[in-house]
Amino acid sequence: MRSDSSNQSTEKGKHNRLDEINILKNIEVGPPAGSRTSDNCSASVQEGWLGHVDESSVAVNLRSSGKSSLSLMPKERNVMVDDSSSSRNGGEANSLTSNLENISFAAKSGHSNDANPGRAISRAQYKPEKWMLPEKAEQSLTQLNLAIVGHVDSGKSTLSGRLLHLLGRISQKEMHKYEKEAKLQGKGSFAYAWALDESAEERERGITMTVAVAYFDSKRYHVVVLDSPGHKDFVPNMITGATQADASILVIDASIGSFEAGMDGTKGQTREHAQLIRSFGVDQLIVAVNKMDAVDYSKERFDLIISQLGAFLRSCGFKDSSVSWIPLSAVENQNLVSAPSDFRLFWYLGPNLLDAIDSFQPPTREFSKPLIMPICDVIKSPSQGQVSACGKLEAGAVRSGSKVLVMPSATIATVRSLERDSEACPIGRAGDNIAVSLNGIDGNHVMAGGVLCHPDFPIAFAKHLELKVLVLDGATPILIGSQLEFHIHHAKEAARVARISLLLDSKTGKVVKKAPRCILAKQSAVVEVILQEAVCVEEFSKCKVLGRVFLRTLGRTVAVGIVTRIVEEQQ
Ligand code: GTP
Ligand code: MG
């Protein structure tokens, strides 16, 4: 199955030519095909309400016609703003990102969140039905959503393709076809990547543009591979895939100069991707040090990468014990699913990549909470009058016949059927990536960036938010009035910084200054933002996945953060 926001008339259940690996081109946030030339690597800049935004952000406006037809009455939340509350935290000298999370949990007590007349029943009062909880006897493998991230050309798609081939998910026949076609186009080295890079433009340019989804089973997990684009123009696409990740593989190109290029503060994506996945809550990481063949499988090179990148990962909030370092070569098939055969890797005695994947801790799932499924993609089949919402179930469960509330259109729909891995499935539970076919709703009322939720537990819809943010190392300062691109789950909106309330010590969370004029790189602060259009959102303390945000400008992520308060809710 393939779906993206451009294929609004995709026939449901139609398999692409890769039947076995069933690649789901998940998210198309980038510009239309053909709108770039292969050497146009820098983000184009356009003027707008946002001021400066990268081209890709303009191409897709999640706030499309469907939403503008809604009547949105702003409603002040009746909460007292306790400036000091946001700064209370455990005081641990953690990494910046984990500290941000600590701060938020402490902050939650400062703002009463029961002041929500539209949502009378608290989520804590929810009682799941029996069918919603998995039976202990169910023997199915745990699903693990695994985001493959890293700098452009580090070999993410080649590694994913090779792994799928080794595990029998791509047949020999299929592989021969890729090899032949890639060679014909003078792109022989991309044969494995072609299994993931499906579109003509991706193949011609030799880069991934959208997130490809493929599946394989390891001993412990049903692994959903989310092969992300590394090119900086497509970071928004990478983000949409990575927000669904339970764990991640950060692919590094070990070649001389390439590792360094990836680590470059302004042009490299290694740091940005690592910071982003950590800010999405991913705390288990494999660093796949790829292309070791290009450095003669040198232990010195591997150790240098560990020391330099390791220090950076620590500063992002990754614990050393949750990071595995695997030297490998995707092209020469070294250390992927078996111990290396090349004698030059004699010094490495650790697990191979597949074993390292099996060593991930199983993700915790919110089975007993009310339904939440951020919609990453919508598939419409006008001929059959069908609409399906695709995404990862973050909490709760659905089955055919379930009533769901589709936000932000606030329309109730009935689940007609479900698909998982392109096959019909009876029940979808937290952690599953599913396509939910809906009855009783106009297709225009289902949109990417929206959320499916339980009718009795509607999520908020707001444009005025208080955030706790951390400005990233090397980023431009954020000022009052700064116009930024605001990302939250699969939604993206133009935002203006209306107020900087507090500057915080990014290590301890203590208030350093009240009402500062700007936030510099590596500083943490409490800010209020006003979005151009409202988004589906929750406070981070109530729902992590709907309360994690990041801010971008000029094609780069400048800050990560969390929603500490919904200042004004739309009805
Ligand atoms: P983007 O998705 O565009 O960011 O690139 P990617 O990270 O998916 O890289 P891709 O798999 O497209 O590979 C880029 C180039 O690196 C191709 O020419 C691959 O053949 C090459 N490559 C990948 N893995 C290895 C490896 O282990 N050794 C060597 N020498 N080259 C490799
Ligand atoms: Mg790729």
Side-chain angles (χ1 to χ4, degrees), residues 139-176:
Q139 283 304 311
S140 58
L141 292 171
T142 304
Q143 177 164 317
L144 184 84
N145 294 325
L146 184 61
I148 319 291
V149 301
H151 189 60
V152 66
D153 271 351
S154 51
K156 299 175 291 298
S157 304
T158 305
L159 182 62
S160 307
R162 188 89 200 216
L163 205 51
L164 292 163
H165 182 231
L166 288 167
L167 297 172
R169 303 296 291 174
I170 300 174
S171 68
Q172 204 58 36
K173 194 170 147 214
E174 207 79 55
M175 205 51 240
H176 278 313

Side-chain angles (χ1 to χ4, degrees), residues 151-322:
H151 189 60
V152 66
D153 271 351
S154 51
K156 299 175 291 298
S157 304
T158 305
L159 182 62
S160 307
R162 188 89 200 216
L163 205 51
L164 292 163
H165 182 231
L166 288 167
L167 297 172
R169 303 296 291 174
I170 300 174
S171 68
Q172 204 58 36
K173 194 170 147 214
E174 207 79 55
M175 205 51 240
H176 278 313
K177 193 167 140 255
Y178 293 135
E179 275 165 15
K180 211 168 113 195
E181 288 172 0
K183 230 179 236 160
L184 268 176
Q185 280 199 28
K187 300 261 183 203
S189 72
F190 285 88
Y192 287 104
W194 277 31
L196 287 298
D197 295 337
E198 281 195 295
S199 76
E201 194 183 0
E202 287 181 311
R203 291 178 170 190
E204 193 187 312
R205 295 177 59 180
I207 60 167
T208 304
M209 293 161 76
T210 58
V211 177
V213 182
Y215 311 90
F216 68 82
D217 287 347
S218 66
K219 278 188 218 121
R220 289 179 72 197
Y221 294 116
H222 174 64
V223 180
V224 179
V225 176
L226 302 155
D227 176 34
S228 313
H231 195 288
K232 68 182 169 67
D233 284 2
F234 303 107
V235 171
N237 291 1
M238 169 270 172
I239 284 163
T240 317
T243 51
Q244 303 178 33
D246 299 311
S248 183
I249 299 182
L250 176 64
V251 182
I252 301 297
D253 180 344
S255 325
I256 306 298
S258 299
F259 164 65
E260 289 75 10
M263 289 293 284
D264 184 290
T266 50
K267 294 193 196 117
Q269 254 55 63
T270 304
R271 286 158 172 264
E272 186 174 13
H273 281 199
Q275 278 167 326
L276 285 172
I277 54 168
R278 184 65 196 94
S279 75
F280 299 147
V282 172
D283 55 5
Q284 304 189 75
L285 184 70
I286 292 173
V287 183
V289 182
N290 188 31
K291 307 198 191 181
M292 285 297 287
D293 56 296
V295 291
D296 252 350
Y297 295 97
S298 155
K299 182 174 186 314
E300 287 68 37
R301 181 71 176 159
F302 182 66
D303 289 343
L304 176 122
I305 290 171
I306 293 182
S307 76
Q308 292 190 4
L309 181 56
F312 180 74
L313 294 179
R314 245 170 265 133
S315 79
C316 294
F318 288 101
K319 288 193 192 122
D320 281 356
S321 55
S322 303

Side-chain angles (χ1 to χ4, degrees), residues 465 467 484-488 491-493 495 531 535 549-551:
L465 305 169
L467 314 175
L484 301 162
E485 190 183 298
F486 174 93
H487 291 250
I488 185 162
K492 168 162 68 171
E493 200 49 72
L531 311 183
V535 293
V549 304
F550 51 97
L551 305 170

